[in-house]
Amino acid sequence: MKNKETEILRWYYSRGHGTLDLVSPSYTCLIKERGGPIHIYAKGSQTPDLIFYPDAGFSEKPGEFTLETGDKELAGKGEQIEFIYSCEDGVRLAITFFIDRIEVKADRNGDEISPDTFYIGRGSKLYTNKVFSPSQPDFHIPVGHYLRPETAVDLCPGLMTPAPWCFSAQQDNSEWMGFALEPYENELNFAGFGSAPGVGRDFCWRVIYNGCMPACKSLSIPVLVMRFAMKDEFEVFERHTEHLLECGKVEKPQKIYDWHSGVSVCGWHWQRGTAPDRELYDTNLAMLDNNDIEYDIVIIDDFWGDSKKHGIWKACERWQDLREFVDSQHAKGRYVLLWVCTEGHGLPENEMTSNQLQKIDSKEWAERLREDAHRMLSSDPGCYNADGIKFDFTALYPTKPECSHYGVGYILERYRMVAEAMRAVKPDAMLLNQSVNPYFIKYQSAIRLNDFTALPCHGLEEMQIRGRIARAVGMGLPIDSDHVTCSTQSYEGAIDFFEEMETVGEVSLYLKESDLQTPGLLEAVQKLTKKHALKNRK
């Protein structure tokens, strides 16, 4: 049983010296001189893990800051205490010390400015030799998650769209501290979050806007949350998600359907360099059947419509028998997902942004979306009767303010509109998205870990890391393990991915007939699918 007296904050601020001594169960803070920075010691540390300067603004260069305590002498204990700092350029910084965390909240009021990057903690020093980042915005190669502190963390939308807005750094005592951005809904107008390291130990945090929102005089910057004394680099994602749920900033999925965790087969590797049609899918599904590979979900990938018009979600001539194909899979007890993406090619100009994405404010596009969802998922005559979608290219957003939502807010609103349109037709529609962020979970029904295009021998380790992050933030959603090779490579050196895929997530197969010649692969896949196919589960 915990001693309640140890689960509180204790503090003493000296009016005469301008010093602070504050102790929580997981950290200690000292201000050693009037106007000085905050020295933060994680529990058990004898030297500071972080020296935080309470300064913020749109320039990376440190400025002046002043503590607004007045003449008060502060001594006491409780669950929280707040200190307010005035910074340059109309920035006000509120630092609130809680029992389990420190929150840094900035607000800016001043001359009109087009936000680019906002820096928090300018001039701070971070004492670590290792930083862990959930993702980098790279579409082509797997990420090196472990970074030197002098390498900037950049959590803009990329392979994860978006990644969770948090990262961790190892303390000297081998435990971990974590840094998370936890916005309210009206603050979802930025493009990303990360770090801005300087020379030596110099370090600060940045909220990235990249000009995606309009010029403004007032701006509420999302709160930066610091946590200390965590057991490993992944705990930050768990604590981040738990706290967002507690304070009502995010919601759990309404319902999780069993079939969404079934064994899936995606046709992407079959159709590279060719125009996909029913014959291609029938031939390759028969190949899997003939090799005793069991599966529950078939994904028709890019694209069953006109490949030059990704914005038009309608079957092209090659797939005029799409409904017949879907019904044939249903007759075998399987489900079918249709690939769609965020590109607006083929849409009228009034339904597209200047960088050819869907214009979410367009009433015409909203109506088109509802019609598309009905045609794709309904069992009515003339419709395809599919069971859900694989939603791709979701990292894209307007690079200038053209809609009423900006940056990640645009991405979230697009997810919402698509999810609601699909679920209005089929409440159990599977929405396979590559967002690994607790703010986006309610608008998807499975988390896709996305592409891996490096050497297959590195695939299992990388996908296990992505899967662990997805479990921490996913609130129980199924995790699509995706694949560990591009279609031009064999799975040689990657048999371990199939042997241990259940440690990553649900079973996901991208298999060509030639792949089955890889020694040991067929046996591993047969064993895996026999265990995890829906009909064989106990």
Side-chain angles (χ1 to χ4, degrees), residues 406-446:
Y406 318 111
V408 296
Y410 169 91
I411 296 175
L412 181 63
E413 178 64 7
R414 183 176 59 200
Y415 271 140
R416 182 194 67 78
M417 294 178 70
V418 171
E420 291 182 357
M422 299 296 167
R423 287 169 174 167
V425 182
K426 279 189 176 171
D428 70 335
M430 185 170 179
L431 308 174
L432 181 57
N433 300 344
Q434 55 237 33
S435 172
V436 191
N437 185 300
Y439 284 82
F440 292 69
I441 293 302
K442 65 180 177 180
Y443 298 131
Q444 60 194 95
S445 56

mmCIF file of all heavy atoms in Angstrom, residues 406-446:
data_model
loop_
_atom_site.group_PDB
_atom_site.id
_atom_site.type_symbol
_atom_site.label_atom_id
_atom_site.label_comp_id
_atom_site.label_asym_id
_atom_site.label_seq_id
_atom_site.Cartn_x
_atom_site.Cartn_y
_atom_site.Cartn_z
ATOM 1 N N TYR A 406 -6.064 22.673 -40.467
ATOM 2 C CA TYR A 406 -4.689 22.837 -40.946
ATOM 3 C C TYR A 406 -3.793 21.724 -40.399
ATOM 4 O O TYR A 406 -3.991 21.227 -39.289
ATOM 5 C CB TYR A 406 -4.131 24.187 -40.508
ATOM 6 C CG TYR A 406 -5.116 25.328 -40.651
ATOM 7 C CD1 TYR A 406 -5.655 25.942 -39.530
ATOM 8 C CD2 TYR A 406 -5.535 25.748 -41.908
ATOM 9 C CE1 TYR A 406 -6.585 26.971 -39.653
ATOM 10 C CE2 TYR A 406 -6.454 26.763 -42.050
ATOM 11 C CZ TYR A 406 -6.985 27.380 -40.914
ATOM 12 O OH TYR A 406 -7.916 28.380 -41.051
ATOM 13 N N GLY A 407 -2.777 21.362 -41.201
ATOM 14 C CA GLY A 407 -1.787 20.400 -40.738
ATOM 15 C C GLY A 407 -2.418 19.100 -40.283
ATOM 16 O O GLY A 407 -3.231 18.486 -40.981
ATOM 17 N N VAL A 408 -2.058 18.654 -39.068
ATOM 18 C CA VAL A 408 -2.597 17.395 -38.567
ATOM 19 C C VAL A 408 -4.099 17.498 -38.330
ATOM 20 O O VAL A 408 -4.805 16.479 -38.345
ATOM 21 C CB VAL A 408 -1.879 16.966 -37.266
ATOM 22 C CG1 VAL A 408 -0.406 16.683 -37.546
ATOM 23 C CG2 VAL A 408 -2.032 18.009 -36.166
ATOM 24 N N GLY A 409 -4.606 18.711 -38.129
ATOM 25 C CA GLY A 409 -6.049 18.888 -37.990
ATOM 26 C C GLY A 409 -6.783 18.550 -39.272
ATOM 27 O O GLY A 409 -7.886 17.981 -39.240
ATOM 28 N N TYR A 410 -6.187 18.883 -40.416
ATOM 29 C CA TYR A 410 -6.759 18.503 -41.712
ATOM 30 C C TYR A 410 -6.778 16.980 -41.846
ATOM 31 O O TYR A 410 -7.785 16.381 -42.262
ATOM 32 C CB TYR A 410 -5.948 19.121 -42.852
ATOM 33 C CG TYR A 410 -6.287 18.574 -44.222
ATOM 34 C CD1 TYR A 410 -7.257 19.175 -45.014
ATOM 35 C CD2 TYR A 410 -5.633 17.448 -44.715
ATOM 36 C CE1 TYR A 410 -7.581 18.656 -46.266
ATOM 37 C CE2 TYR A 410 -5.946 16.929 -45.966
ATOM 38 C CZ TYR A 410 -6.922 17.536 -46.740
ATOM 39 O OH TYR A 410 -7.238 17.021 -47.964
ATOM 40 N N ILE A 411 -5.653 16.340 -41.482
ATOM 41 C CA ILE A 411 -5.571 14.880 -41.587
ATOM 42 C C ILE A 411 -6.633 14.229 -40.710
ATOM 43 O O ILE A 411 -7.314 13.278 -41.117
ATOM 44 C CB ILE A 411 -4.157 14.398 -41.199
ATOM 45 C CG1 ILE A 411 -3.115 14.933 -42.196
ATOM 46 C CG2 ILE A 411 -4.106 12.874 -41.161
ATOM 47 C CD1 ILE A 411 -1.677 14.602 -41.833
ATOM 48 N N LEU A 412 -6.804 14.731 -39.484
ATOM 49 C CA LEU A 412 -7.803 14.171 -38.575
ATOM 50 C C LEU A 412 -9.225 14.369 -39.112
ATOM 51 O O LEU A 412 -10.045 13.443 -39.068
ATOM 52 C CB LEU A 412 -7.672 14.823 -37.196
ATOM 53 C CG LEU A 412 -8.644 14.317 -36.128
ATOM 54 C CD1 LEU A 412 -8.418 12.838 -35.846
ATOM 55 C CD2 LEU A 412 -8.514 15.131 -34.848
ATOM 56 N N GLU A 413 -9.522 15.553 -39.632
ATOM 57 C CA GLU A 413 -10.862 15.810 -40.155
ATOM 58 C C GLU A 413 -11.142 14.939 -41.376
ATOM 59 O O GLU A 413 -12.260 14.437 -41.540
ATOM 60 C CB GLU A 413 -11.006 17.286 -40.518
ATOM 61 C CG GLU A 413 -12.349 17.682 -41.121
ATOM 62 C CD GLU A 413 -13.531 17.506 -40.178
ATOM 63 O OE1 GLU A 413 -13.312 17.192 -38.989
ATOM 64 O OE2 GLU A 413 -14.685 17.679 -40.632
ATOM 65 N N ARG A 414 -10.138 14.716 -42.210
ATOM 66 C CA ARG A 414 -10.317 13.823 -43.369
ATOM 67 C C ARG A 414 -10.592 12.391 -42.899
ATOM 68 O O ARG A 414 -11.485 11.716 -43.420
ATOM 69 C CB ARG A 414 -9.079 13.875 -44.256
ATOM 70 C CG ARG A 414 -9.168 13.037 -45.522
ATOM 71 C CD ARG A 414 -7.919 13.241 -46.376
ATOM 72 N NE ARG A 414 -6.709 12.867 -45.650
ATOM 73 C CZ ARG A 414 -5.485 13.283 -45.972
ATOM 74 N NH1 ARG A 414 -5.312 14.105 -46.995
ATOM 75 N NH2 ARG A 414 -4.439 12.887 -45.280
ATOM 76 N N TYR A 415 -9.844 11.930 -41.898
ATOM 77 C CA TYR A 415 -10.106 10.610 -41.319
ATOM 78 C C TYR A 415 -11.545 10.526 -40.806
ATOM 79 O O TYR A 415 -12.242 9.530 -41.009
ATOM 80 C CB TYR A 415 -9.160 10.360 -40.143
ATOM 81 C CG TYR A 415 -7.822 9.728 -40.470
ATOM 82 C CD1 TYR A 415 -6.663 10.150 -39.837
ATOM 83 C CD2 TYR A 415 -7.713 8.671 -41.372
ATOM 84 C CE1 TYR A 415 -5.433 9.569 -40.092
ATOM 85 C CE2 TYR A 415 -6.495 8.080 -41.649
ATOM 86 C CZ TYR A 415 -5.354 8.529 -41.001
ATOM 87 O OH TYR A 415 -4.147 7.949 -41.266
ATOM 88 N N ARG A 416 -11.988 11.573 -40.102
ATOM 89 C CA ARG A 416 -13.331 11.562 -39.525
ATOM 90 C C ARG A 416 -14.388 11.450 -40.616
ATOM 91 O O ARG A 416 -15.317 10.629 -40.512
ATOM 92 C CB ARG A 416 -13.575 12.839 -38.711
ATOM 93 C CG ARG A 416 -14.956 12.876 -38.040
ATOM 94 C CD ARG A 416 -15.320 14.255 -37.544
ATOM 95 N NE ARG A 416 -15.521 15.218 -38.626
ATOM 96 C CZ ARG A 416 -16.614 15.282 -39.370
ATOM 97 N NH1 ARG A 416 -17.617 14.444 -39.169
ATOM 98 N NH2 ARG A 416 -16.720 16.186 -40.337
ATOM 99 N N MET A 417 -14.252 12.266 -41.657
ATOM 100 C CA MET A 417 -15.256 12.263 -42.714
ATOM 101 C C MET A 417 -15.321 10.910 -43.413
ATOM 102 O O MET A 417 -16.414 10.388 -43.689
ATOM 103 C CB MET A 417 -14.948 13.385 -43.717
ATOM 104 C CG MET A 417 -15.086 14.783 -43.145
ATOM 105 S SD MET A 417 -14.655 16.088 -44.321
ATOM 106 C CE MET A 417 -16.022 15.973 -45.476
ATOM 107 N N VAL A 418 -14.160 10.333 -43.701
ATOM 108 C CA VAL A 418 -14.129 9.038 -44.377
ATOM 109 C C VAL A 418 -14.702 7.952 -43.466
ATOM 110 O O VAL A 418 -15.513 7.126 -43.895
ATOM 111 C CB VAL A 418 -12.694 8.693 -44.816
ATOM 112 C CG1 VAL A 418 -12.606 7.248 -45.317
ATOM 113 C CG2 VAL A 418 -12.231 9.652 -45.914
ATOM 114 N N ALA A 419 -14.300 7.963 -42.192
ATOM 115 C CA ALA A 419 -14.790 6.942 -41.256
ATOM 116 C C ALA A 419 -16.310 7.015 -41.113
ATOM 117 O O ALA A 419 -17.000 5.977 -41.155
ATOM 118 C CB ALA A 419 -14.113 7.113 -39.898
ATOM 119 N N GLU A 420 -16.838 8.191 -40.933
ATOM 120 C CA GLU A 420 -18.281 8.329 -40.744
ATOM 121 C C GLU A 420 -19.053 7.940 -41.996
ATOM 122 O O GLU A 420 -20.135 7.331 -41.905
ATOM 123 C CB GLU A 420 -18.610 9.748 -40.308
ATOM 124 C CG GLU A 420 -18.122 10.061 -38.893
ATOM 125 C CD GLU A 420 -18.473 11.457 -38.427
ATOM 126 O OE1 GLU A 420 -19.054 12.231 -39.233
ATOM 127 O OE2 GLU A 420 -18.174 11.788 -37.262
ATOM 128 N N ALA A 421 -18.517 8.257 -43.175
ATOM 129 C CA ALA A 421 -19.192 7.880 -44.424
ATOM 130 C C ALA A 421 -19.230 6.362 -44.586
ATOM 131 O O ALA A 421 -20.267 5.787 -44.957
ATOM 132 C CB ALA A 421 -18.486 8.532 -45.614
ATOM 133 N N MET A 422 -18.097 5.703 -44.302
ATOM 134 C CA MET A 422 -18.037 4.246 -44.456
ATOM 135 C C MET A 422 -18.901 3.550 -43.412
ATOM 136 O O MET A 422 -19.658 2.618 -43.727
ATOM 137 C CB MET A 422 -16.583 3.769 -44.356
ATOM 138 C CG MET A 422 -15.650 4.332 -45.431
ATOM 139 S SD MET A 422 -16.112 3.795 -47.099
ATOM 140 C CE MET A 422 -15.107 4.922 -48.109
ATOM 141 N N ARG A 423 -18.821 3.983 -42.160
ATOM 142 C CA ARG A 423 -19.581 3.337 -41.092
ATOM 143 C C ARG A 423 -21.088 3.579 -41.226
ATOM 144 O O ARG A 423 -21.884 2.791 -40.708
ATOM 145 C CB ARG A 423 -19.069 3.817 -39.738
ATOM 146 C CG ARG A 423 -17.704 3.243 -39.383
ATOM 147 C CD ARG A 423 -17.078 3.913 -38.180
ATOM 148 N NE ARG A 423 -15.836 3.246 -37.781
ATOM 149 C CZ ARG A 423 -14.948 3.749 -36.933
ATOM 150 N NH1 ARG A 423 -15.172 4.949 -36.383
ATOM 151 N NH2 ARG A 423 -13.852 3.081 -36.618
ATOM 152 N N ALA A 424 -21.469 4.661 -41.897
ATOM 153 C CA ALA A 424 -22.899 4.897 -42.128
ATOM 154 C C ALA A 424 -23.484 3.824 -43.030
ATOM 155 O O ALA A 424 -24.687 3.515 -42.951
ATOM 156 C CB ALA A 424 -23.104 6.283 -42.747
ATOM 157 N N VAL A 425 -22.662 3.246 -43.897
ATOM 158 C CA VAL A 425 -23.127 2.192 -44.795
ATOM 159 C C VAL A 425 -23.000 0.827 -44.123
ATOM 160 O O VAL A 425 -23.934 0.014 -44.136
ATOM 161 C CB VAL A 425 -22.323 2.212 -46.118
ATOM 162 C CG1 VAL A 425 -22.846 1.130 -47.070
ATOM 163 C CG2 VAL A 425 -22.396 3.580 -46.773
ATOM 164 N N LYS A 426 -21.819 0.554 -43.532
ATOM 165 C CA LYS A 426 -21.577 -0.696 -42.812
ATOM 166 C C LYS A 426 -20.943 -0.363 -41.469
ATOM 167 O O LYS A 426 -19.768 0.021 -41.417
ATOM 168 C CB LYS A 426 -20.649 -1.624 -43.615
ATOM 169 C CG LYS A 426 -21.348 -2.418 -44.694
ATOM 170 C CD LYS A 426 -20.449 -3.467 -45.312
ATOM 171 C CE LYS A 426 -21.254 -4.303 -46.329
ATOM 172 N NZ LYS A 426 -20.378 -5.198 -47.111
ATOM 173 N N PRO A 427 -21.678 -0.486 -40.387
ATOM 174 C CA PRO A 427 -21.126 -0.141 -39.070
ATOM 175 C C PRO A 427 -19.868 -0.914 -38.712
ATOM 176 O O PRO A 427 -19.027 -0.412 -37.961
ATOM 177 C CB PRO A 427 -22.282 -0.481 -38.118
ATOM 178 C CG PRO A 427 -23.513 -0.325 -38.956
ATOM 179 C CD PRO A 427 -23.116 -0.815 -40.321
ATOM 180 N N ASP A 428 -19.705 -2.134 -39.256
ATOM 181 C CA ASP A 428 -18.509 -2.925 -38.943
ATOM 182 C C ASP A 428 -17.447 -2.801 -40.038
ATOM 183 O O ASP A 428 -16.522 -3.622 -40.104
ATOM 184 C CB ASP A 428 -18.871 -4.388 -38.722
ATOM 185 C CG ASP A 428 -19.290 -5.107 -40.000
ATOM 186 O OD1 ASP A 428 -19.752 -4.420 -40.945
ATOM 187 O OD2 ASP A 428 -19.163 -6.337 -40.065
ATOM 188 N N ALA A 429 -17.546 -1.772 -40.877
ATOM 189 C CA ALA A 429 -16.556 -1.582 -41.945
ATOM 190 C C ALA A 429 -15.150 -1.518 -41.355
ATOM 191 O O ALA A 429 -14.917 -0.858 -40.335
ATOM 192 C CB ALA A 429 -16.852 -0.306 -42.721
ATOM 193 N N MET A 430 -14.221 -2.204 -41.980
ATOM 194 C CA MET A 430 -12.819 -2.167 -41.539
ATOM 195 C C MET A 430 -12.145 -0.959 -42.165
ATOM 196 O O MET A 430 -12.170 -0.771 -43.380
ATOM 197 C CB MET A 430 -12.098 -3.449 -41.921
ATOM 198 C CG MET A 430 -10.669 -3.518 -41.392
ATOM 199 S SD MET A 430 -9.965 -5.171 -41.623
ATOM 200 C CE MET A 430 -8.324 -4.937 -40.942
ATOM 201 N N LEU A 431 -11.542 -0.129 -41.336
ATOM 202 C CA LEU A 431 -10.828 1.061 -41.780
ATOM 203 C C LEU A 431 -9.356 0.865 -41.434
ATOM 204 O O LEU A 431 -8.936 1.069 -40.293
ATOM 205 C CB LEU A 431 -11.392 2.304 -41.091
ATOM 206 C CG LEU A 431 -12.915 2.477 -41.177
ATOM 207 C CD1 LEU A 431 -13.368 3.660 -40.338
ATOM 208 C CD2 LEU A 431 -13.348 2.647 -42.629
ATOM 209 N N LEU A 432 -8.585 0.435 -42.408
ATOM 210 C CA LEU A 432 -7.171 0.103 -42.213
ATOM 211 C C LEU A 432 -6.329 1.338 -42.531
ATOM 212 O O LEU A 432 -6.100 1.665 -43.687
ATOM 213 C CB LEU A 432 -6.780 -1.072 -43.114
ATOM 214 C CG LEU A 432 -5.339 -1.568 -43.015
ATOM 215 C CD1 LEU A 432 -4.986 -1.961 -41.589
ATOM 216 C CD2 LEU A 432 -5.119 -2.747 -43.964
ATOM 217 N N ASN A 433 -5.902 2.042 -41.485
ATOM 218 C CA ASN A 433 -5.138 3.282 -41.629
ATOM 219 C C ASN A 433 -3.766 3.131 -40.979
ATOM 220 O O ASN A 433 -3.578 2.306 -40.097
ATOM 221 C CB ASN A 433 -5.853 4.455 -40.942
ATOM 222 C CG ASN A 433 -7.235 4.710 -41.511
ATOM 223 O OD1 ASN A 433 -7.572 4.226 -42.589
ATOM 224 N ND2 ASN A 433 -8.043 5.460 -40.789
ATOM 225 N N GLN A 434 -2.812 3.999 -41.376
ATOM 226 C CA GLN A 434 -1.467 3.914 -40.827
ATOM 227 C C GLN A 434 -1.180 4.992 -39.773
ATOM 228 O O GLN A 434 -0.045 5.410 -39.607
ATOM 229 C CB GLN A 434 -0.423 3.971 -41.945
ATOM 230 C CG GLN A 434 -0.520 5.159 -42.862
ATOM 231 C CD GLN A 434 -0.669 4.771 -44.332
ATOM 232 O OE1 GLN A 434 -1.270 3.756 -44.665
ATOM 233 N NE2 GLN A 434 -0.115 5.572 -45.213
ATOM 234 N N SER A 435 -2.207 5.421 -39.071
ATOM 235 C CA SER A 435 -2.004 6.353 -37.971
ATOM 236 C C SER A 435 -1.658 5.573 -36.712
ATOM 237 O O SER A 435 -2.319 4.595 -36.369
ATOM 238 C CB SER A 435 -3.266 7.179 -37.728
ATOM 239 O OG SER A 435 -3.127 7.937 -36.553
ATOM 240 N N VAL A 436 -0.607 6.016 -36.018
ATOM 241 C CA VAL A 436 -0.181 5.400 -34.752
ATOM 242 C C VAL A 436 -0.192 6.502 -33.708
ATOM 243 O O VAL A 436 0.819 6.847 -33.106
ATOM 244 C CB VAL A 436 1.204 4.744 -34.886
ATOM 245 C CG1 VAL A 436 1.519 3.887 -33.662
ATOM 246 C CG2 VAL A 436 1.277 3.888 -36.146
ATOM 247 N N ASN A 437 -1.358 7.100 -33.521
ATOM 248 C CA ASN A 437 -1.486 8.280 -32.684
ATOM 249 C C ASN A 437 -2.824 8.199 -31.939
ATOM 250 O O ASN A 437 -3.865 7.980 -32.570
ATOM 251 C CB ASN A 437 -1.440 9.539 -33.564
ATOM 252 C CG ASN A 437 -1.436 10.829 -32.784
ATOM 253 O OD1 ASN A 437 -2.357 11.109 -32.033
ATOM 254 N ND2 ASN A 437 -0.407 11.640 -32.979
ATOM 255 N N PRO A 438 -2.831 8.367 -30.614
ATOM 256 C CA PRO A 438 -4.087 8.184 -29.869
ATOM 257 C C PRO A 438 -5.206 9.133 -30.266
ATOM 258 O O PRO A 438 -6.379 8.812 -30.085
ATOM 259 C CB PRO A 438 -3.662 8.404 -28.406
ATOM 260 C CG PRO A 438 -2.333 9.067 -28.456
ATOM 261 C CD PRO A 438 -1.695 8.641 -29.732
ATOM 262 N N TYR A 439 -4.885 10.300 -30.832
ATOM 263 C CA TYR A 439 -5.921 11.234 -31.253
ATOM 264 C C TYR A 439 -6.718 10.698 -32.444
ATOM 265 O O TYR A 439 -7.836 11.134 -32.698
ATOM 266 C CB TYR A 439 -5.300 12.574 -31.635
ATOM 267 C CG TYR A 439 -4.879 13.424 -30.460
ATOM 268 C CD1 TYR A 439 -3.652 13.208 -29.826
ATOM 269 C CD2 TYR A 439 -5.689 14.442 -29.963
ATOM 270 C CE1 TYR A 439 -3.256 13.986 -28.741
ATOM 271 C CE2 TYR A 439 -5.302 15.219 -28.880
ATOM 272 C CZ TYR A 439 -4.081 14.978 -28.271
ATOM 273 O OH TYR A 439 -3.692 15.731 -27.197
ATOM 274 N N PHE A 440 -6.164 9.745 -33.192
ATOM 275 C CA PHE A 440 -6.758 9.285 -34.446
ATOM 276 C C PHE A 440 -7.426 7.924 -34.326
ATOM 277 O O PHE A 440 -8.073 7.458 -35.259
ATOM 278 C CB PHE A 440 -5.681 9.239 -35.532
ATOM 279 C CG PHE A 440 -5.162 10.591 -35.947
ATOM 280 C CD1 PHE A 440 -4.388 11.352 -35.084
ATOM 281 C CD2 PHE A 440 -5.458 11.107 -37.194
ATOM 282 C CE1 PHE A 440 -3.919 12.604 -35.449
ATOM 283 C CE2 PHE A 440 -4.982 12.364 -37.576
ATOM 284 C CZ PHE A 440 -4.222 13.113 -36.702
ATOM 285 N N ILE A 441 -7.257 7.262 -33.178
ATOM 286 C CA ILE A 441 -7.689 5.876 -33.028
ATOM 287 C C ILE A 441 -9.177 5.689 -33.289
ATOM 288 O O ILE A 441 -9.597 4.697 -33.904
ATOM 289 C CB ILE A 441 -7.316 5.360 -31.621
ATOM 290 C CG1 ILE A 441 -5.784 5.276 -31.473
ATOM 291 C CG2 ILE A 441 -7.966 4.021 -31.340
ATOM 292 C CD1 ILE A 441 -5.096 4.401 -32.479
ATOM 293 N N LYS A 442 -10.020 6.620 -32.857
ATOM 294 C CA LYS A 442 -11.466 6.412 -32.979
ATOM 295 C C LYS A 442 -11.943 6.418 -34.428
ATOM 296 O O LYS A 442 -13.074 6.006 -34.704
ATOM 297 C CB LYS A 442 -12.224 7.456 -32.171
ATOM 298 C CG LYS A 442 -12.069 8.890 -32.644
ATOM 299 C CD LYS A 442 -12.866 9.839 -31.750
ATOM 300 C CE LYS A 442 -12.685 11.297 -32.156
ATOM 301 N NZ LYS A 442 -13.466 12.211 -31.278
ATOM 302 N N TYR A 443 -11.105 6.878 -35.352
ATOM 303 C CA TYR A 443 -11.514 6.920 -36.750
ATOM 304 C C TYR A 443 -10.859 5.824 -37.592
ATOM 305 O O TYR A 443 -10.802 5.906 -38.813
ATOM 306 C CB TYR A 443 -11.203 8.297 -37.348
ATOM 307 C CG TYR A 443 -11.955 9.415 -36.657
ATOM 308 C CD1 TYR A 443 -11.299 10.561 -36.234
ATOM 309 C CD2 TYR A 443 -13.321 9.317 -36.422
ATOM 310 C CE1 TYR A 443 -11.992 11.594 -35.596
ATOM 311 C CE2 TYR A 443 -14.012 10.330 -35.775
ATOM 312 C CZ TYR A 443 -13.338 11.461 -35.367
ATOM 313 O OH TYR A 443 -14.023 12.473 -34.722
ATOM 314 N N GLN A 444 -10.344 4.799 -36.957
ATOM 315 C CA GLN A 444 -9.816 3.649 -37.679
ATOM 316 C C GLN A 444 -10.180 2.404 -36.891
ATOM 317 O O GLN A 444 -10.535 2.473 -35.712
ATOM 318 C CB GLN A 444 -8.305 3.763 -37.886
ATOM 319 C CG GLN A 444 -7.483 3.848 -36.603
ATOM 320 C CD GLN A 444 -6.051 4.284 -36.856
ATOM 321 O OE1 GLN A 444 -5.722 5.459 -36.759
ATOM 322 N NE2 GLN A 444 -5.174 3.344 -37.179
ATOM 323 N N SER A 445 -10.101 1.263 -37.539
ATOM 324 C CA SER A 445 -10.435 0.021 -36.845
ATOM 325 C C SER A 445 -9.279 -0.959 -36.832
ATOM 326 O O SER A 445 -9.386 -2.037 -36.241
ATOM 327 C CB SER A 445 -11.667 -0.634 -37.482
ATOM 328 O OG SER A 445 -11.457 -0.860 -38.860
ATOM 329 N N ALA A 446 -8.164 -0.605 -37.471
ATOM 330 C CA ALA A 446 -6.940 -1.396 -37.401
ATOM 331 C C ALA A 446 -5.783 -0.460 -37.740
ATOM 332 O O ALA A 446 -5.945 0.505 -38.492
ATOM 333 C CB ALA A 446 -6.983 -2.581 -38.360
#
